[in-house]
Amino acid sequence: MKIKGKKIVAVLCAVCALNFMAVGCGNDSAAGETSEADVTGEADATSEADVTGEADVTSEADVTGEADVTRETDVTEEAEVTDVTETEQGDTTESNVEGRWHVLAPDIAAIVDADFEGSVMKIDADFFYIAETQTEIMEDGSLLAVDASTEAQLPDSDLIQVVFEEDARFYIRTIYENGARYEDSEAEFKDLEQNMSVSLKGEFAGDVFHAKEIRMNKTE
């Protein structure tokens, strides 16, 4: 009886030992799983955070770069538009320069058969200066012309430069009997004299008159 009792006690002890071992292994497995899960989760979270952060930084860099390029493009386009605008305005201004002097009114020009009239004040090598002749039509239809005084000392600002090409025509109109009749004769630039009355055909470019025809008027 005592021997059998000892065997039972030994069996129970072995069973208990096995249970403890099983519980210990289970805990170790759970701990291992927990550790692995923790490590995996932490690694996944870290990797995802890193990837997300890198993506955000890249996106932000791309957007910033695109914004900078857009602003630079806008500035360049604005500069080009400004340049074009300034260039167009400069060309327009240069092509439409209006000086102080203007050709005669059409009705007066038709009567005097000229675009502008004046008195010779200075003669240079290949151009000359005149003082404007003031001309107007009176109520009775007659023409009143007032020349600058031959004794007047006019400032250069009141003188008009007259230039001409080689093929410009020079001729002298001699007027007789107070305008009742006249005679025309061909002439040259060298025939031009100071204080002589001249009638010009041509046009103004700024304050310079470009003459195509110069008529020198003489009264007999």
Side-chain angles (χ1 to χ4, degrees):
M1 292 296 291
K2 290 182 180 179
I3 295 172
K4 186 175 182 179
K6 289 182 179 178
K7 289 182 178 181
I8 292 172
V9 172
V11 171
L12 290 174
C13 288
V15 171
C16 289
L18 290 173
N19 287 336
F20 281 121
M21 290 177 66
V23 172
C25 291
N27 289 337
D28 292 338
S29 298
E33 291 176 359
T34 301
S35 299
E36 183 178 357
D38 292 341
V39 172
T40 304
E42 183 177 356
D44 293 341
T46 302
S47 301
E48 183 177 358
D50 292 342
V51 172
T52 304
E54 183 178 357
D56 291 342
V57 172
T58 303
S59 300
E60 183 177 358
D62 293 341
V63 172
T64 303
E66 183 177 356
D68 292 341
V69 171
T70 303
R71 285 197 296 270
E72 183 177 354
T73 303
D74 293 342
V75 171
T76 303
E77 291 177 352
E78 183 178 356
E80 291 176 354
V81 171
T82 302
D83 291 341
V84 170
T85 304
E86 290 177 352
T87 303
E88 292 176 352
Q89 290 178 349
D91 293 341
T92 302
T93 302
E94 185 176 356
S95 61
N96 294 309
V97 170
E98 288 191 5
R100 174 182 175 184
W101 315 101
H102 303 279
V103 295
L104 297 173
D107 53 349
I108 297 177
I111 295 174
V112 301
D113 189 27
D115 296 316
F116 199 77
E117 291 189 307
S119 299
V120 178
M121 305 302 289
K122 293 181 180 180
I123 302 175
D124 211 317
D126 51 3
F127 57 88
F128 58 98
Y129 291 90
I130 65 172
E132 180 184 18
T133 296
Q134 301 289 339
T135 307
E136 61 177 311
I137 300 175
M138 307 302 289
E139 292 182 358
D140 60 357
S142 62
L143 201 65
L144 176 63
V146 179
D147 292 322
S149 172
T150 56
E151 298 179 357
Q153 298 295 324
L154 298 178
D156 290 344
S157 59
D158 287 340
L159 301 182
I160 302 161
Q161 184 182 17
V162 180
V163 299
F164 51 88
E165 299 295 334
E166 292 182 359
D167 59 350
R169 181 193 178 195
F170 285 84
Y171 69 101
I172 298 173
R173 174 166 290 183
T174 305
I175 302 171
Y176 300 96
E177 301 173 7
N178 199 27
R181 65 185 182 88
Y182 64 85
E183 291 180 357
D184 290 342
S185 58
E186 296 301 314
E188 298 178 1
F189 176 55
K190 65 181 181 180
D191 297 317
L192 196 67
E193 299 176 3
Q194 192 165 346
N195 297 324
M196 179 179 282
S197 173
V198 293
S199 300
L200 311 172
K201 286 187 178 181
E203 60 184 0
F204 276 102
D207 286 331
V208 178
F209 191 88
H210 293 254
K212 298 178 180 178
E213 186 175 289
I214 299 94
R215 184 174 76 230
M216 296 171 272
N217 301 309
K218 287 185 176 182
T219 302
E220 294 290 342

